[in-house]
Amino acid sequence: MSIATSTHPTVDAEAAQTRGQIHLGVFFQGVNFSTVWNAAESGSQTEFESFRRLIQTAERGLFSAFFLGEGLRLREHLGAIHALDVVGRPDAGIQLAALAAVTHRIGLVATQNTTFHEPTALAHRLGTLDLLSEGRAAWNIVTTDNAWTGENFRRGGYLDHADRYTHAEYVVNTVKALWDSYPADAPADSPDAAAWSAPGTAESVVTADRYTSVAAVSRVPRSAQEHPVLFQAGDSPEGRDFAARNADVIFSTHSAFEAATDFAADIRHRTEAAGRPADDLKIFPGQEFILADTEAEARDKARWVRESQVTPQTALAFLEQTWGRSLGEFDPEGPLPDIPSVAEQTSETRGTGFHGHRAAEQIASWRALSEEKGLSIRQLVIHLTSGRGFVGSYSGVADELLRYAEAGVVDGFNVTPYLVPSGLDDIVNGLIPELQERGIYPTEYRGETLREHLGLRRPLTRRHLA
Amino acid sequence: MSESTRPPFVIGVELDGTGAHPAAWRDAAISPRESLSPRYLARVAAEADRAGFSFLTLEDAPVTPETAAPDAPAGSQLSPRPGVTARLDALQRAAYVAPLTGSIGLVPFADAVYVEPFHLAAQLASLDIASAGRAGWVVLAEEFPGAAEAVSWLPAAGDDLPREATDTAAVSRLIWDSWQDDAVIRSVETGHYIDPERLHYVRYRGERFSVTGPGITPRPTQGHPVVFGRADRVAARQLEVAFVSAAHPTIVAERALELTGQVPRVVAELEVVLDARGERAAARLARLDAHTPAHTPDHTGGVSARGRFVGTAAGLVEHLTEYADVVHGVRLLPAVTDVDLPEIARAVLPELRRRGLFRSPVAGDTLRDTLGLDRPSNTFEAARAAEPASHPEREAAIR
């Protein structure tokens, strides 16, 4: 069932037409400690029913896309498996195939890295998902050169860091070539046809780079959207250019209005430089939404969310990454540890995206901050991690999003729900009707495929075709 | 089978493509294009589920269907598909039908050679969890022309294939066991979502690949999805259900006897062509063969030819009754799914149930329940219980 169509009486239809639309995506199982697993309403992170409930809620709210993340080695902290956050996830290609059967229009996005998946396997499995979902599949392209992750795979840490993006681009191009290689007008559309496939087998695709060579025959026809939609998240200049050349949608962490504005200008410039129309690459920052009827209630809720996310143990673990040693003897509700770090560089929780800073400088700045504001360890960590997200009343946040839509600096937001499986209920029941009233949110799924719904053009390699 | 506590007799059905006969697509109700659609897949899987089959299988290969089995069934695990140039991933097809079916086991073929074992284990675990414990897999280990060139490592070849497939099956079990069933504890007191003591590094060092682990997916609902395959393709000790293929029930019986004590369950493969829609089975077969000659089963007793039943539904009931004396089940391969599956559902399974020879699974049954197989214990828990301090690098030799 879709959200009832409603038009705000003051919104001029034409203005609404030209006004940017905000799409929403949802990311299942947030990274690090974003998911609150210790509340009464926290459900299973494993059972299929949690996924079904969340994706069906998203579809009720006309979300564009449902994302599954990927982590191919369990994170470690100080040499042991990190135990404080949600651990364990399904294979994205399998889970999304199952979810395709219980949804009709929402996009299904599999995060898959280009280093430890074979190009032929990626083309086949993403192509399969695209046919099973009738044109709703997408690939969130991620790159890694992590030898530590490679210990779970045949080739180990085979990839030089410097070649991360060039190899990824080789893989993406090979996957596209495989998708394009299946003959048009095949298979036959009648059991009375002379042959199962009149043009016969696909041509073999032969490619090679420094690391990989492929000679493969595709066995998946294209779906109604021709190629799965390509998403990419890369924030370095190299990553942004990679997206500008290859992706349909780029994620970002730049959700604050000014940062989003700068990011959009930069991406549009790069997209044009890559020979594409400026609006060819859609922009979806990741964002958390904490909503309630009133601003004050939302602030209370946000406090509860932060305290649930940053448990005393998580607060210590956060600091331990910088101190490089166990801080178990310190009271998380007490002052910062008065000892120096053991490592020159921060010891990152492996498998996370934390970036290292020189530990001593980091610690000094945190000490200054906690002394100035009188913060305990846990209060400091909550303070450091609270900047993200929209917190407010339904109408207040809708007004904020209106600003983004009118400025055209984002095409959508990718929501990380802090609760599973009920984490989208507030957005779907409370925020989306407000957005629809302001004419900045879809009132129905546009077209049948994800590509149509997002308003994307044909895949880059097929645009020249009739 | 003569033991006093006789395991249940199971009946599976193959649902890949439009049927097992190489010309099946010409008699199908839908076009080749529609045969790849989710609607068709959902329809036949739901039909098999409603009919009460124990499990469904979905053939697959890492190359095009026409390349995979040019002269099957004599030399391949797969049905011949001349001219067929497309097929979707069987694991994902099984996942797609999981929420659309209630009790039938879901057993895709999965290549165990041209594959990353770590991904395969996660995929099978995910299928088992999404289907509430109805997953199995058929270990596929064949040397397909062109498959080696499609991957970035040098795959095993020739006689090494069964060893590679055995390694893949073995490491999959270790990856599934790398999470204890009770690993997720959600302790508010300690802040631990998982108990790290209940997760285990696999540290598998095989001849051709190694895996550090643990897996990324919690332990599957059944502990391990059920492992099906042929004992000449993968070591019998890894198999829980062995397929045997032979033209005559007497040869099937001999081969089943050879496997007794090595594999818990033996299931015979049988192609089926039934009288249907006012046409005799033999006439249907002749018409299909006129399009594309099917491999003729080797009636002289060749060991790898598949059996084939051509006749009435009542005749098939009698035939299966004979099989029930020599094997634990059958995997039926309808010549044309749209024609033979409804006949089996209408006139064969109900009669076998009436005679008490066969019991259909009910909602909530796992595939292990259906097969009468125990849920496997966890290797790492057992090792820890036996020798608390042990932490050996796992060598290929332990498998």
Side-chain angles (χ1 to χ4, degrees):
Chain A
M1 223 198 322
S2 65
I3 299 283
T5 304
S6 66
T7 310
H8 198 281
T10 60
V11 171
D12 173 67
E14 194 148 319
Q17 200 88 67
T18 53
R19 181 175 281 171
Q21 294 278 298
I22 299 284
H23 287 265
L24 292 176
V26 53
F27 192 85
F28 189 92
Q29 199 179 103
V31 294
N32 304 326
F33 45 85
S34 59
T35 305
V36 175
W37 53 259
N38 51 11
E41 56 268 58
S42 303
S44 170
Q45 294 281 331
T46 306
E47 286 166 20
F48 186 71
E49 285 314 309
S50 286
F51 292 79
R52 185 206 298 260
R53 160 97 195 271
L54 200 70
I55 196 170
Q56 289 183 341
T57 304
E59 193 165 66
R60 185 164 61 84
L62 305 173
F63 273 53
S64 303
F66 177 88
F67 292 78
L68 289 180
E70 183 180 67
L72 296 173
R73 183 159 176 180
L74 298 190
R75 289 163 55 206
E76 292 172 0
H77 178 68
L78 302 180
I81 292 166
H82 186 59
L84 302 179
D85 300 340
V86 170
V87 185
R89 56 181 12 138
D91 174 85
I94 292 296
Q95 194 77 356
L96 293 173
L99 292 169
V102 297
T103 53
H104 303 284
R105 291 296 175 84
I106 193 169
L108 307 166
V109 194
T111 304
Q112 306 266 279
N113 89 50
T114 52
T115 310
F116 299 114
H117 290 282
E118 290 291 297
T120 42
L122 285 168
H124 190 61
R125 289 165 50 74
L126 290 161
T128 292
L129 181 63
D130 208 21
L131 286 178
L132 287 175
S133 64
E134 303 192 285
R136 295 188 283 134
W139 174 17
N140 178 25
I141 304 163
V142 294
T143 62
T144 176
D145 58 294
N146 191 332
W148 174 78
T149 301
E151 288 179 18
N152 285 331
F153 297 97
R154 289 175 182 267
R155 302 176 75 196
Y158 70 91
L159 185 63
D160 288 345
H161 182 76
D163 295 337
R164 197 158 70 116
Y165 279 110
T166 52
H167 182 64
E169 198 148 1
Y170 160 75
V171 171
V172 170
N173 287 334
T174 300
V175 168
K176 289 178 178 177
L178 282 161
W179 287 336
D180 286 338
S181 71
Y182 196 84
D185 305 322
D189 56 13
S190 163
D192 300 324
W196 198 89
S197 164
T201 309
E203 293 275 332
S204 184
V205 169
V206 181
T207 65
D209 76 349
R210 212 185 120 193
Y211 299 99
T212 299
S213 68
V214 170
V217 176
S218 172
R219 52 197 194 281
V220 274
R222 286 171 299 283
S223 77
Q225 66 171 353
E226 300 192 280
H227 288 184
V229 172
L230 302 183
F231 287 74
Q232 204 259 336
D235 206 28
S236 65
E238 213 182 351
R240 291 181 186 197
D241 281 335
F242 178 93
R245 285 193 302 275
N246 298 291
D248 297 304
V249 184
I250 185 168
F251 290 137
S252 82
T253 53
H254 307 287
S255 50
F257 187 79
E258 288 71 25
T261 305
D262 292 347
F263 184 77
D266 181 67
I267 288 301
R268 279 163 192 160
H269 174 73
R270 290 176 195 269
T271 304
E272 285 188 313
R276 302 170 63 183
D279 66 346
D280 219 30
L281 180 57
K282 306 295 181 195
I283 302 170
F284 272 61
Q287 190 66 308
E288 195 175 54
F289 287 76
I290 301 176
L291 306 167
D293 286 326
T294 67
E295 171 101 19
E297 282 174 72
R299 300 234 163 269
D300 283 349
K301 199 191 256 186
R303 194 170 310 118
W304 174 82
V305 171
R306 299 303 173 218
E307 283 172 6
S308 303
Q309 288 172 327
V310 184
T311 62
Q313 296 84 356
T314 291
L316 283 181
F318 187 93
L319 294 197
E320 283 168 351
Q321 295 178 70
T322 299
W323 260 264
R325 51 156 285 179
S326 168
L327 300 173
E329 70 268 37
F330 292 92
D331 177 5
E333 311 294 353
L336 258 59
D338 49 6
I339 56 170
S341 72
V342 299
E344 181 80 355
Q345 292 280 320
T346 56
S347 160
E348 296 176 27
T349 295
R350 306 190 79 166
T352 73
F354 288 130
H355 297 292
H357 295 283
R358 296 186 77 81
E361 288 170 31
Q362 181 69 270
I363 290 169
S365 81
W366 286 349
R367 248 192 211 116
L369 183 66
S370 62
E371 276 162 22
E372 179 199 329
K373 295 187 181 276
L375 302 175
S376 70
I377 289 174
R378 190 170 171 211
Q379 286 166 335
L380 172 75
V381 175
I382 288 172
H383 178 83
L384 292 172
T385 57
S386 291
R388 63 220 150 84
F390 290 121
V391 178
S393 67
Y394 299 114
S395 63
V397 170
D399 285 339
E400 218 172 323
L401 293 189
L402 180 61
R403 187 173 165 223
Y404 284 78
E406 285 179 332
V409 295
V410 302
D411 297 286
F413 289 98
N414 203 32
V415 180
T416 300
Y418 52 84
L419 275 174
V420 169
S422 61
L424 294 181
D425 295 3
D426 286 349
I427 295 176
V428 170
N429 298 333
L431 178 65
I432 285 174
E434 296 274 351
L435 296 176
Q436 288 173 327
E437 280 184 24
R438 287 161 180 76
I440 57 168
Y441 192 82
T443 52
E444 61 184 359
Y445 279 104
R446 183 154 58 138
E448 308 259 312
T449 67
L450 175 59
R451 190 172 292 279
E452 288 173 303
H453 182 56
L454 290 172
L456 296 169
R457 298 180 180 91
R458 292 182 77 180
L460 284 166
T461 57
R462 306 193 65 76
R463 238 170 246 185
H464 63 285
L465 302 171
Chain B
M1 299 286 123
S2 54
E3 60 263 49
S4 52
T5 52
R6 194 157 130 158
F9 187 71
V10 295
I11 302 177
V13 62
E14 167 59 40
L15 293 181
D16 183 56
T18 48
H21 192 281
W25 69 271
R26 295 180 188 276
D27 265 13
I30 42 92
S31 69
R33 180 178 291 277
E34 287 165 323
S35 73
L36 300 173
S37 73
R39 275 181 307 280
Y40 173 71
L41 176 63
R43 173 163 68 77
V44 294
E47 199 174 337
D49 189 46
R50 272 197 310 274
F53 283 97
S54 310
F55 60 91
L56 62 83
T57 56
L58 292 165
E59 292 186 0
D60 199 4
V63 292
T64 59
E66 63 177 3
T67 313
D71 58 352
S76 169
Q77 288 173 265
L78 299 166
S79 303
R81 308 231 181 264
V84 176
T85 63
R87 173 153 58 194
L88 305 189
D89 180 75
L91 277 157
Q92 288 173 287
R93 280 185 284 159
Y96 180 82
V97 301
L100 306 175
T101 52
S103 58
I104 194 167
L106 307 172
V107 189
F109 280 56
D111 169 58
V113 176
Y114 308 93
V115 71
E116 284 284 5
F118 192 81
H119 289 316
L120 178 64
Q123 289 158 11
L124 287 164
S126 304
L127 176 64
D128 199 43
I129 294 167
S131 65
R134 292 185 285 132
W137 66 300
V138 182
V139 180
L140 186 65
E142 296 199 25
E143 197 166 3
F144 294 109
E149 290 75 21
V151 295
S152 308
W153 63 89
L154 190 65
D159 295 342
D160 288 336
L161 261 87
R163 283 167 56 167
E164 175 94 351
T166 303
D167 276 3
T168 299
V171 82
S172 298
R173 291 184 188 276
L174 292 174
I175 292 169
W176 297 328
D177 284 350
S178 67
W179 285 67
Q180 293 183 201
D181 292 316
D182 55 1
V184 174
I185 53 169
R186 293 176 183 255
S187 164
V188 173
E189 189 189 337
T190 64
H192 283 187
Y193 176 80
I194 46 150
D195 177 353
E197 296 292 309
R198 299 177 194 176
L199 288 170
H200 305 277
Y201 285 93
V202 169
R203 299 186 206 284
Y204 183 84
R205 302 281 176 265
E207 277 176 48
R208 301 182 39 82
F209 59 80
S210 57
V211 171
T212 296
I216 55 165
T217 309
R219 194 163 192 253
T221 311
Q222 297 181 96
H224 303 171
V226 181
V227 184
F228 292 64
R230 273 170 39 170
D232 59 345
R233 302 288 185 189
V234 57
R237 66 183 175 277
Q238 281 300 333
L239 292 177
E240 293 167 273
V241 181
F243 289 142
V244 295
S245 288
H248 284 293
T250 48
I251 304 164
V252 168
E254 283 169 25
R255 303 208 50 216
L257 205 59
E258 285 164 25
L259 289 165
T260 302
Q262 294 185 63
V263 182
R265 298 287 181 271
V266 178
V267 164
E269 295 179 307
L270 185 67
E271 292 181 16
V272 174
V273 192
L274 294 179
D275 289 10
R277 300 180 178 181
E279 196 179 3
R280 299 297 293 269
R284 285 185 55 217
L285 182 59
R287 201 163 41 72
L288 289 165
D289 280 350
H291 282 298
T292 318
H295 176 85
T296 307
D298 182 354
H299 287 284
T300 62
V303 288
S304 54
R306 260 180 202 153
R308 182 156 71 191
F309 178 84
V310 183
T312 64
L316 180 58
V317 169
E318 299 307 325
H319 199 59
L320 293 181
T321 304
E322 284 176 45
Y323 271 104
D325 285 332
V326 296
V327 286
H328 303 109
V330 288
R331 171 180 171 243
L332 301 180
L333 295 102
V336 178
T337 309
D338 274 338
V339 179
D340 295 292
L341 177 59
E343 279 303 297
I344 299 167
R346 184 187 61 81
V348 178
L349 299 191
E351 180 58 19
L352 290 168
R353 280 192 292 259
R354 199 190 60 78
R355 295 186 185 186
L357 278 170
F358 171 65
R359 178 189 160 276
S360 289
V362 296
D365 284 349
T366 67
L367 181 54
R368 288 184 181 280
D369 293 335
T370 301
L371 290 160
L373 293 170
D374 290 338
R375 192 173 188 277
S377 59
N378 188 317
T379 308
F380 295 101
E381 281 181 75
R384 177 164 296 182
E387 197 184 337
S390 88
H391 167 50
E393 283 270 297
R394 298 193 156 263
E395 301 296 336
I398 69 156
R399 67 180 184 263

